[in-house]
Amino acid sequence: MKDVFLSQYNTRLIHILWMSLISMKNCGAQVLEKTFEEWLRYKEECLKKMASDPYSSGLFCNRTFDMYACWPDGSPGSIVNVSCPSYLPWFEKVKHGLASRRCGPDGQWVMLNGTEPWRDLSQCEMEAVAEEEGAHRLMVSFQVLYTVGYSLSLLALILALLILTLFRKLRCTRNYIHANLFASFGLRAISVIVKDVLVEKLWGRQVFQVSDWEVLLSNKAAIGCRVAQVLMQYCILANHYWFLVEAVYLYKLLIGAVFSEKNYYTLYLYLGWGTPVAFVVPWMAAKYLKENVECWALNENMNYWWIIRIPILLASMINLLIFMQILKVILAKLRANQKGYADYKLRLAKATLTLIPLFGIHEVVFIFATDEQTTGVLRYVKVFFTLFLNSFQGFLVAVLYCFANKEVKSEMKKKWQLWKLDHPALCCSQ
């Protein structure tokens, strides 16, 4: 089998597998492994058919399987037509098309430049391949968009974490919660970037032999990107539950409940970092036992997908309910004109009220619109908004909870003034 892939016809198969890879990475409709298995099945059926059919008499072009299609015996001087191969990822679009080869008057298949066979595959490939390549280019643009978003978010979150942890006067339960939220977003950004690098490394290699494809499709080759996928799903859940912690904390702060912050902070840690484990572990077990394919990014059985999505939807719905309650409390206190109402509470409420709809609405709107269930323009609109919002959320959180925070700006201004007093020579030289 290995020698066959080294033949002069291997480039056509590699092209087909590569186009199925593009389809798999961007549309979720076809899986490379399935295409390869379908090709093997097609090849076996072709070889059986060639062995069982009676041979033609006299001069004729020999039946053959040229790594692309199964060709019967051809009459000299004729064009032989066969249906487009059934293993093509886009077969449904070209199932009525034909592939053609020319049998020469000498009983030999006509060759181009004496090395490659003459074939007309336009009905089987051109439009479908062009469509897949167009989708590929669009998805590459989306990837650039969210890579920029996650990179910008990661830099902003790291800086925000440093500010909240290095300045002692900023150390309090409220900012500890902010710091955990920043950490969850930062880990999410890292996991997405690492996953993309591993996927590119896995699928971006050049493959020319069957052993290469076997390695590419093996479970061992995908372990790294599966680990990154699990981490990403965990961080997505942690994002939502740490934001739920933000909403719960603010609600308790606004209604003036008396409680021990230290005791509740421990509960917040369990809710923010512990709750995602309760859902990611069952999802990981289901994927390993039932859908142990590639990087665990595809959802063949939607029941496993709901293990992750239900807790996200639940957190989003609770956040929206708290959003309405917080809004009611703020309006009531403002109408009562309470002068003792702390300014920092209003600022925290403003930041949280800005983020809650952003976190909740797009999750609720797109909760049933999965990659597997949407097609065409709707799918690309959904993918664009999801990737854009998800990738830039970390940056927005860092701005609202840190860089635009009055306490943070005041503390940084004090530190800057103290630094100038401690280094008068440097300041004067400027």
Side-chain angles (χ1 to χ4, degrees):
M1 175 72 104
K2 186 173 182 179
D3 293 334
V4 176
F5 270 78
L6 294 172
S7 71
Q8 59 184 343
Y9 305 117
N10 69 342
T11 54
R12 177 54 54 184
L13 173 63
I14 291 169
H15 176 72
I16 297 302
L17 290 172
W18 189 253
M19 289 312 302
S20 93
L21 171 59
I22 291 174
S23 177
M24 180 204 71
K25 286 177 69 176
N26 298 303
C27 302
Q30 296 290 338
V31 181
L32 180 61
E33 183 176 7
K34 181 179 178 181
T35 303
F36 186 64
E37 289 175 352
E38 289 292 331
W39 177 84
L40 289 174
R41 187 177 297 111
Y42 179 89
K43 176 178 179 292
E44 291 175 2
E45 291 175 356
C46 176
L47 295 178
K48 289 180 181 178
K49 188 175 185 299
M50 288 193 300
S52 60
D53 288 350
Y55 282 89
S56 303
S57 57
L59 188 65
F60 62 90
C61 292
N62 288 328
R63 62 193 69 179
T64 183
F65 175 65
D66 63 357
M67 307 297 292
Y68 181 82
C70 189
W71 303 94
D73 295 337
S75 302
S78 67
I79 293 180
V80 179
N81 298 317
V82 296
S83 298
C84 294
S86 58
Y87 63 83
L88 295 175
W90 49 83
F91 176 70
E92 286 300 317
K93 301 175 184 177
V94 297
K95 60 184 177 182
H96 300 300
L98 297 174
S100 304
R101 285 189 69 173
R102 182 175 296 161
C103 181
D106 57 352
Q108 299 293 326
W109 294 108
V110 174
M111 306 294 287
L112 291 176
N113 301 322
T115 57
E116 296 184 5
W118 177 90
R119 286 177 296 196
D120 181 4
L121 308 176
S122 58
Q123 295 184 36
C124 297
E125 291 188 30
M126 294 307 293
E127 293 183 3
V129 171
E131 183 177 337
E132 297 294 340
E133 290 177 339
H136 174 62
R137 287 192 295 270
L138 183 60
M139 287 299 180
V140 167
S141 301
F142 287 170
Q143 185 176 12
V144 171
L145 170 71
Y146 76 72
T147 300
V148 171
Y150 279 120
S151 300
L152 182 63
S153 294
L154 183 59
L155 292 174
L157 290 163
I158 291 173
L159 182 58
L161 272 171
L162 290 173
I163 292 172
L164 293 185
T165 53
L166 292 179
F167 294 109
R168 291 184 179 180
K169 289 187 178 181
L170 297 177
R171 295 175 186 174
C172 61
T173 300
R174 181 177 71 256
N175 286 336
Y176 288 155
I177 292 173
H178 294 342
N180 280 281
L181 181 64
F182 296 165
S184 70
F185 271 106
L187 289 173
R188 178 177 179 177
I190 292 171
S191 66
V192 170
I193 294 171
V194 170
K195 180 178 68 68
D196 281 352
V197 170
L198 291 173
V199 169
E200 187 65 27
K201 182 179 179 181
L202 180 65
W203 299 115
R205 71 179 74 174
Q206 294 294 326
V207 283
F208 294 103
Q209 302 180 25
V210 69
S211 58
D212 294 327
W213 287 106
E214 288 171 347
V215 170
L216 190 63
L217 298 173
S218 68
N219 289 331
K220 292 181 179 179
I223 288 176
C225 64
R226 287 176 188 172
V227 171
Q229 181 77 15
V230 171
L231 178 60
M232 185 182 70
Q233 296 296 344
Y234 173 81
C235 293
I236 290 172
L237 279 166
N239 286 161
H240 287 83
Y241 279 89
W242 270 110
F243 201 75
L244 178 60
V245 170
E246 291 275 4
V248 170
Y249 178 80
L250 176 60
Y251 182 72
K252 283 186 169 292
L253 202 64
L254 290 176
I255 64 175
V258 178
F259 58 89
S260 170
E261 289 193 343
K262 289 187 178 179
N263 291 339
Y264 272 83
Y265 182 65
T266 302
L267 292 176
Y268 293 153
L269 288 174
Y270 284 126
L271 177 60
W273 295 116
T275 304
V277 176
F279 299 101
V280 170
V281 170
W283 173 81
M284 185 171 59
K287 281 290 187 178
Y288 179 77
L289 296 174
K290 301 296 184 179
E291 288 186 359
N292 197 27
V293 185
E294 294 130 14
C295 289
W296 293 356
L298 299 176
N299 301 299
E300 295 180 8
N301 188 328
M302 299 306 293
N303 292 329
Y304 308 142
W305 178 80
W306 281 106
I307 297 174
I308 293 291
R309 301 308 296 178
I310 283 179
I312 291 177
L313 180 60
L314 180 63
S316 299
M317 295 300 293
I318 294 174
N319 273 332
L320 288 174
L321 291 175
I322 294 177
F323 164 76
M324 292 185 286
Q325 289 297 319
I326 291 174
L327 197 58
K328 186 186 298 183
V329 170
I330 290 176
L331 291 175
K333 289 182 180 288
L334 290 176
R335 275 198 294 269
N337 194 23
Q338 295 185 10
K339 295 182 179 180
Y341 197 50
D343 180 55
Y344 78 90
K345 291 184 180 180
L346 280 175
R347 285 185 275 106
L348 181 60
K350 182 180 178 181
T352 305
L353 290 175
T354 302
L355 290 171
I356 285 178
L358 179 64
F359 266 67
I361 291 174
H362 100 275
E363 291 290 350
V364 174
V365 169
F366 292 125
I367 190 70
F368 297 106
T370 67
D371 288 351
E372 290 77 14
Q373 295 172 328
T374 54
T375 57
V377 177
L378 175 61
R379 182 174 187 278
Y380 294 124
V381 170
K382 182 257 181 184
V383 169
F384 172 79
F385 279 105
T386 301
L387 293 178
F388 178 80
L389 291 174
N390 288 344
S391 59
F392 284 95
Q393 274 175 353
F395 175 77
L396 183 60
V397 165
V399 170
L400 289 175
Y401 279 150
C402 183
F403 304 135
N405 186 285
K406 188 176 180 180
E407 289 175 271
V408 172
K409 290 192 291 185
S410 176
E411 187 63 21
M412 291 185 70
K413 186 176 180 180
K414 289 178 184 177
K415 292 293 183 182
W416 173 246
Q417 295 296 334
L418 290 173
W419 186 88
K420 287 198 297 183
L421 291 174
D422 292 337
H423 303 81
L426 291 176
C427 294
C428 292
S429 64
Q430 294 176 355

